[in-house]
Amino acid sequence: MGGGRKEIPLAVVQRLPHYLCYARERKKEGLQYVFSQEIARDLGLTPSTVRQDFTHLKILGVAKRGYDIDGLERVFSHALDMDKEKRVVIVGAGNLGRALALHGNLGRYDFHVRAIVDVNPKVIGDNIGNLTVQSMECLVDIVRDERIDIGVIAVPAPSAQEVADRLIMAGVRGILNLAFTRVITPRRVRSVDGRIVSSLLLLSCTMADQSQSM
Amino acid sequence: MGGGRKEIPLAVVQRLPHYLCYARERKKEGLQYVFSQEIARDLGLTPSTVRQDFTHLKILGVAKRGYDIDGLERVFSHALDMDKEKRVVIVGAGNLGRALALHGNLGRYDFHVRAIVDVNPKVIGDNIGNLTVQSMECLVDIVRDERIDIGVIAVPAPSAQEVADRLIMAGVRGILNLAFTRVITPRRVRSVDGRIVSSLLLLSCTMADQSQSM
DNA sequence: TAGATTGTTAATCGATTAACAATC
DNA sequence: TAGATTGTTAATCGATTAACAATC
């Protein structure tokens, strides 16, 4: 008696953000239907994979017409739990925290940044968009009062674990760690690393592979 | 007659940055040896996977003593091509670009940020660390003269593809796209997305899974 | 020595791809 | 209708885990 959506394979879930983003792009172009073949080409998959994925998501298309883009967007959003609004606090009002608060486009994906905090007295009180930087001391109250779900770590690496511990204590359910280090969380608090350095390393390493095969 | 390192499975390569980071952490603690079991516990893997990965990397340990941490660091660095210095240009001198240039710790992984450019005349001439923001017009010259390998896109989503095109024209071999959208590159130019929104979506989605199973 | 850990082979698992009948 | 595309089943592929002899 599973929860229904639970059975979607991990590999499919990981492709969901790309599918969603793609559906929105094509929709903006005014398109109404897409073929699995087009999706595959544009996202670097095979048509088989796309159709197989859609089967898991119970998405139905029409032969020779393809898949309804509005429908796709709806299913992807739902599968990604975007129906529920997610409340976010950003820890760290440096460049990274500001970038995310101002240009992160988080609203487009139903993430609501409710507060931004920092330890540095010099930046407390700064206005960032329509938020005011608050003291780190307020974190517990903020998480409780604003019913925060997710904490984003946007502080230098050495403080990352301490921030994570405080977020966990404060009661968040998930952590996005943008610091360039690993943080340890208890099992009940999910944590995802957005480590830019990892991406760069993988990039440079596959670039090397490429030059080898030429 | 393969290039030697080429045969490492993708799954292993993707774990390399984590292994490397972990080795450095333990080294800083003054540790000299680790067991596959410890690594597995701390990185969320099984000891089997760790030992299997090490076999691919031709890493040898000693029964009952474990793996030499200095040796590990050396192998991981080498496998990630960190021997070669990688030259980077950052496009976009907004908060995100600044954050990366100032606090990205890229030097620790042999990435050298040689230049940062922007279209906005207001920020051209700004000093960021020991770099001065240059005009976007200079991109081609910079890539050629500084022998840039990698371009980092740190501009708002709507300009991302245009920036990618200019980087490709200028001759970079790899692109790290930090904009919140997808960019299209020809096959010869590798591209990796650092999309924070994707991470957030996956995080919130697995959080939901968690609450279901409680 | 006894017990623990490695390195590697074999078994399992899951994800991708191929193939094809059903459908438009 | 003929040709193209879907939905799904079966085959392939690759990655993870289990198991165990060799080693310390």
Side-chain angles (χ1 to χ4, degrees), chain A residues 3-6 10 13-14 16-18 20-22 25 42-43 79-82 84 86 88 94-96 98-100 102-106 109 111 149-150 152 156-157 173-176 178 180-182 187-213, chain B residues 3-6 10 13-14 16-18 20-22 25 42-43 79-82 84 86 88 94-96 98-100 102-106 109 111 149-150 152 156-157 173-176 178 180-182 187-213:
Chain A
R5 213 201 72 255
K6 188 64 174 307
L10 182 61
V13 174
Q14 287 176 337
L16 280 173
H18 301 95
L20 174 63
C21 186
Y22 183 73
E25 275 176 32
D42 294 340
L43 293 181
L80 281 166
D81 253 327
M82 281 178 44
K84 300 179 210 139
K86 296 285 164 14
V88 174
N95 285 306
L96 191 54
R98 279 163 205 252
L100 196 61
L102 292 172
H103 313 290
N105 266 325
L106 300 188
Y109 297 87
F111 293 100
D149 302 288
I150 293 172
V152 177
R173 296 188 300 129
I175 288 176
L176 174 65
L178 298 180
F180 305 102
T181 185
R182 197 170 51 90
R187 195 104 62 80
R188 67 172 198 285
V189 179
R190 289 297 160 100
S191 145
V192 168
D193 284 0
R195 271 189 298 164
I196 293 171
V197 171
S198 289
S199 305
L200 265 178
L201 285 170
L202 289 177
L203 173 64
S204 78
C205 175
T206 53
M207 276 164 46
D209 281 6
Q210 180 187 30
S211 70
Q212 252 174 26
S213 66
Chain B
R5 213 202 71 256
K6 188 67 173 306
L10 182 63
V13 174
Q14 288 176 337
L16 280 173
H18 301 94
L20 173 63
C21 186
Y22 183 73
E25 275 176 32
D42 295 341
L43 258 36
L80 282 165
D81 253 326
M82 280 177 46
K84 298 178 213 141
K86 295 286 164 15
V88 175
N95 285 306
L96 192 54
R98 280 163 205 254
L100 195 61
L102 293 172
H103 312 291
N105 266 324
L106 300 189
Y109 298 87
F111 293 101
D149 303 291
I150 294 173
V152 176
R173 296 189 299 130
I175 288 176
L176 174 66
L178 298 179
F180 306 103
T181 184
R182 195 169 54 90
R187 195 106 61 80
R188 66 172 199 286
V189 179
R190 289 297 159 98
S191 144
V192 168
D193 284 359
R195 271 189 296 165
I196 294 172
V197 171
S198 289
S199 304
L200 265 177
L201 286 169
L202 289 177
L203 173 65
S204 78
C205 177
T206 53
M207 278 164 46
D209 281 5
Q210 179 188 32
S211 71
Q212 253 175 27
S213 66

Side-chain angles (χ1 to χ4, degrees), chain B residues 17-135:
Chain B
H18 301 94
Y19 283 136
L20 173 63
C21 186
Y22 183 73
R24 290 185 169 183
E25 275 176 32
R26 302 312 300 257
K27 189 179 172 180
K28 234 196 288 181
E29 290 172 23
L31 219 63
Q32 204 173 348
Y33 290 93
V34 268
F35 295 126
S36 57
Q37 209 174 108
E38 300 175 80
I39 303 175
R41 171 183 23 89
D42 295 341
L43 258 36
L45 308 166
T46 65
S48 258
T49 301
V50 172
R51 292 203 301 276
Q52 185 72 279
D53 286 358
F54 286 9
T55 298
H56 283 114
L57 296 162
K58 305 207 181 26
I59 290 170
L60 294 181
V62 181
K64 301 195 64 176
R65 181 173 301 175
Y67 300 87
D68 174 68
I69 292 183
D70 283 327
L72 290 181
E73 192 192 350
R74 227 173 303 123
V75 174
F76 299 145
S77 307
H78 182 69
L80 282 165
D81 253 326
M82 280 177 46
D83 308 356
K84 298 178 213 141
E85 144 182 320
K86 295 286 164 15
R87 292 149 169 267
V88 175
V89 61
I90 296 176
V91 181
N95 285 306
L96 192 54
R98 280 163 205 254
L100 195 61
L102 293 172
H103 312 291
N105 266 324
L106 300 189
R108 256 176 81 71
Y109 298 87
D110 274 316
F111 293 101
H112 296 258
V113 181
R114 308 294 296 214
I116 179 162
V117 302
D118 204 298
V119 278
N120 183 354
K122 279 191 194 144
V123 302
I124 293 172
D126 280 11
N127 288 315
I128 297 176
N130 54 1
L131 294 172
T132 302
V133 179
Q134 297 178 261
S135 160

